């Protein structure tokens, strides 16, 4: 098999002089929890990153097709981001929010300026799971209701409250965590009852939210939470109108609507800055993480002044949330998305990849579905297009083969059978051509 060539790139990685990958693996096995996941039969060690590329300990370059799991939004080690955090690190690293600092206030103002409607009040935390937990608290305290509707096939994090919302057996430990959470049918046009040719699909799927409210709760709910595109679930894009109808049912039952923008926010969908905008809705609470910080521990919950007031009923404190260094980084990320027009780039290069994936689907029977928006893309693999039996081993093989050829990808879906792509938003057209060429070769090797 001929290995496609990565587009040229003018960066020489520093010679790596640290412990070998085998030594690091040994240390990990001895001193790190075995539950911490590793990809690939032979785990790889990445020691440097620049823009859309990563370098391993041998200096080999890879195209980062997964963006550090949908996190590296503006590119690895972006010089503007580096400069912003260098300046802040040299001045003050931490003092907490009990004192004033300009970074958290100015960053909140800039982030709020990107939000529609009354979504103007920010609370910074450290991870998506924490953001989910806080959003849930706000919904419950604000409404005085307890029950929450989430979606099957969703992922909202790994702490106890977000694990309760998450709906994949893979990620749910056998302990009590889902009390008061009800999971509606996933509005999945590929696997669900209503496909893309059904004009009422969005409305039909949303009827299950109403049905759950009527049958599984007191009729009053605290809220509804949904990723705007289900990422871990395999990049499932909802039919038009789904969120609009679901929100109507939830608000009629006294609940607030939470949009999880951890993967779909910050321009990644190309057409819009926020994923929920692709569905024409305005949520009451928005959670953000990952791409917000381009790789630093930054996350946020943004809501309306009325809902934000819920958190004043008791003391709520987060030691690192809104730390001056991460706020400097978050602000620099917003500036780069704007300055380098990365949303428009996601739209353009994402369209090229999507067209390439459609061509691959016409050629390779193992591809059951291609989907996504902008640079949040999925390729669902099936053993048989009629039965849609998940092609898990084939997906693992494609991932391994792509890695051998210099392309790093992710996987998702309940059975780990969907290839996921979410590269840094600075991806170029030659990168897109390389990605498709590598995928084609890997699929041909099945
Ligand atoms: C949609 C979504 N929400 C929440 C989370 C949880 O984020 P974290 O891993 O930062 O806790 C994730 C993580 O993958 C996610 O994809």
């Amino acid at each position: 098999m001929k290995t496609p060539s990565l587009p040229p790139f003018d960066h020489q990685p520093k010679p790596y002089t640290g412990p070998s990958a085998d030594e690091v693996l040994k240390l990990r096995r001895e001193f790190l929890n075995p539950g911490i996941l590793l990809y690939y039969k032979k785990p790889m060690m990445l020691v440097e990153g620049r823009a859309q590329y990563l370098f391993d300990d041998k200096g080999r370059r890879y195209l980062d097709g997964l963006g550090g799991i949908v996190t590296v939004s503006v590119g690895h080690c972006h010089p503007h981001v580096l400069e912003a955090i260098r300046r802040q690190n040299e001045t003050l690293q931490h003092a907490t929010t009990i004192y004033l600092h300009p970074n958290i206030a100015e960053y909140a103002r800039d982030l709020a300026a990107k939000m529609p409607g009354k979504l103007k009040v920010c609370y910074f935390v450290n991870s998506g799971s924490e953001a989910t937990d806080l959003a849930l608290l706000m919904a419950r305290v604000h409404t005085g209701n307890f029950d929450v509707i989430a979606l099957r096939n969703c992922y909202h994090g790994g702490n106890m409250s977000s694990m309760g919302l998450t709906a994949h057996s893979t990620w749910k430990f056998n302990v009590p965590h889902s009390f008061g959470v009800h999971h509606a049918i996933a509005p999945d046009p590929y696997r669900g009852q209503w496909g893309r040719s059904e004009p009422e699909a969005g409305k039909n799927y949303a009827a299950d939210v109403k049905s759950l409210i009527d049958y599984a709760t007191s009729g009053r709910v605290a809220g509804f939470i949904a990723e705007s595109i289900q990422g871990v679930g395999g990049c499932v894009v909802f039919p038009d109108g789904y969120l609009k109808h679901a929100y109507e049912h939830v608000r009629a039952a006294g609940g607030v609507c939470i949009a999880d923008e951890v993967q779909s926010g910050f321009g990644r969908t190309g057409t819009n800055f926020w994923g929920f905008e692709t569905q024409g809705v305005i949520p009451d609470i928005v959670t953000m993480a990952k791409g917000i910080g381009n790789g630093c521990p930054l996350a946020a919950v943004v809501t309306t002044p009325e809902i934000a007031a819920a958190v004043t009923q008791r003391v709520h404190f987060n030691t690192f949330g809104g730390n001056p260094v991460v706020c400097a980084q978050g602000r620099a990320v917003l500036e780069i998305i704007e300055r380098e027009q990365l949303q428009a780039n996601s739209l353009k290069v994402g369209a090229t990849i999507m067209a390439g994936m459609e061509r691959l689907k016409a050629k390779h029977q193992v591809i059951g579905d291609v989907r996504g928006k902008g640079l949040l893309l999925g390729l669902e693999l099936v053993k048989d297009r009629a039965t849609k039996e998940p092609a898990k081993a084939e997906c693992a093989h494609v991932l391994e083969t792509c890695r051998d050829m210099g392309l790093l990808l992710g996987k998702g879906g309940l059975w780990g059978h969907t290839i996921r792509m979410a590269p840094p938003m600075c991806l170029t057209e030659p990168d897109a051509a390389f990605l498709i060429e590598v995928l084609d070769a890997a699929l041909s090797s099945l």
Side-chain angles (χ1 to χ4, degrees), residues 3-4 9 36 47 84 112 119 148 188 197 217 227 248 264 267 277 281 336 343 365 411:
T3 301
F9 185 61
I36 303 173
V47 293
L119 292 165
V148 176
D188 177 351
S197 56
T217 77
E227 296 157 88
E248 280 169 10
S264 54
E277 292 171 312
V281 293
I336 292 304
Q343 182 184 321
Q365 281 299 307
K411 62 182 172 181

Side-chain angles (χ1 to χ4, degrees), residues 3-286:
T3 301
S5 302
L6 268 169
F9 185 61
D10 190 16
H11 175 77
Q12 196 54 42
K14 294 189 232 22
Y16 175 73
T17 54
S20 70
D22 285 342
E23 284 165 335
V24 172
L25 186 60
K26 197 164 164 282
L27 286 174
R28 257 184 86 128
R29 290 205 169 123
E30 194 168 350
F31 297 111
L32 279 161
N33 190 295
I36 303 173
L37 195 74
L38 269 172
Y39 259 28
Y40 301 118
K41 280 185 207 144
K42 180 158 177 51
M44 60 190 304
M45 186 154 81
L46 298 169
V47 293
E48 196 167 326
R50 191 63 44 137
Q52 63 275 38
Y53 300 112
L54 285 162
F55 297 86
D56 70 10
D57 49 329
K58 307 277 184 320
R60 182 174 175 190
R61 180 160 59 101
Y62 296 83
L63 179 62
D64 185 3
L66 188 57
I69 312 218
V70 207
T71 300
V72 180
S73 44
V74 302
H76 293 276
C77 294
H78 193 291
H80 180 68
V81 176
L82 291 186
E83 180 51 24
I85 54 171
R86 186 193 59 77
R87 261 187 279 121
Q88 190 53 51
N89 264 317
E90 286 174 0
T91 316
L92 176 71
Q93 290 187 307
H94 187 70
T96 87
T97 45
I98 59 173
Y99 307 109
L100 292 178
H101 192 278
N103 286 14
I104 185 170
E106 291 175 344
Y107 177 45
R109 176 197 60 201
D110 294 353
L111 186 58
K114 303 300 278 181
M115 306 297 298
K118 293 197 292 169
L119 292 165
K120 294 290 170 224
V121 186
C122 308
Y123 194 135
F124 296 109
V125 291
N126 311 293
S127 69
S129 303
E130 277 189 15
T132 305
D133 183 71
L134 181 58
L136 204 58
L137 177 76
M138 286 182 183
R140 285 178 168 154
V141 177
H142 172 73
T143 60
N145 299 329
F146 189 73
D147 288 275
V148 176
I149 312 288
L151 299 182
R152 292 186 196 163
N153 197 46
C154 73
Y155 185 88
H156 295 292
N159 61 9
M160 289 301 267
S161 62
S162 53
M163 189 187 293
L165 295 168
T166 291
H168 262 195
S169 48
T170 334
W171 305 99
K172 284 170 98 74
F173 285 76
N174 195 7
V175 293
H177 45 52
S178 299
F179 187 57
V181 178
H182 310 274
H183 288 104
I185 290 171
D188 177 351
Y190 178 62
R191 284 195 176 264
Q193 200 177 339
W194 298 284
R196 295 194 184 101
S197 56
E198 168 56 60
E200 298 283 282
K203 190 175 171 190
N204 294 346
Y205 283 113
D208 192 52
V209 171
K210 169 82 174 116
S211 171
L212 267 184
I213 293 170
D214 289 345
Y215 285 101
T217 77
S218 66
R220 305 297 291 166
V221 296
F224 166 84
I225 182 165
E227 296 157 88
S228 300
I229 291 176
Q230 289 184 326
V232 174
C235 197
V236 173
V237 180
F238 305 154
D240 288 346
Y242 173 74
L243 286 182
K244 176 181 165 294
H245 289 287
Y247 279 20
E248 280 169 10
H249 297 313
V250 172
R251 285 176 175 150
V256 296
C257 299
I258 306 168
D260 180 331
E261 289 287 335
V262 169
Q263 295 204 14
S264 54
F266 295 89
R268 181 166 286 286
T269 62
T271 49
N272 300 84
F273 198 81
W274 302 110
F276 59 76
E277 292 171 312
T278 66
Q279 285 267 319
V281 293
I282 300 185
D284 306 297
I285 304 177
V286 181

Side-chain angles (χ1 to χ4, degrees), residues 315-343:
V315 179
H316 193 278
F317 181 66
N318 191 300
T319 300
F320 295 115
N323 163 291
V325 180
V326 293
C327 284
Q329 179 143 346
R331 206 166 169 211
V333 167
L334 279 184
E335 284 161 2
I336 292 304
I337 293 173
E338 189 119 336
R339 193 184 304 168
E340 297 184 0
Q341 300 184 15
L342 295 182
Q343 182 184 321

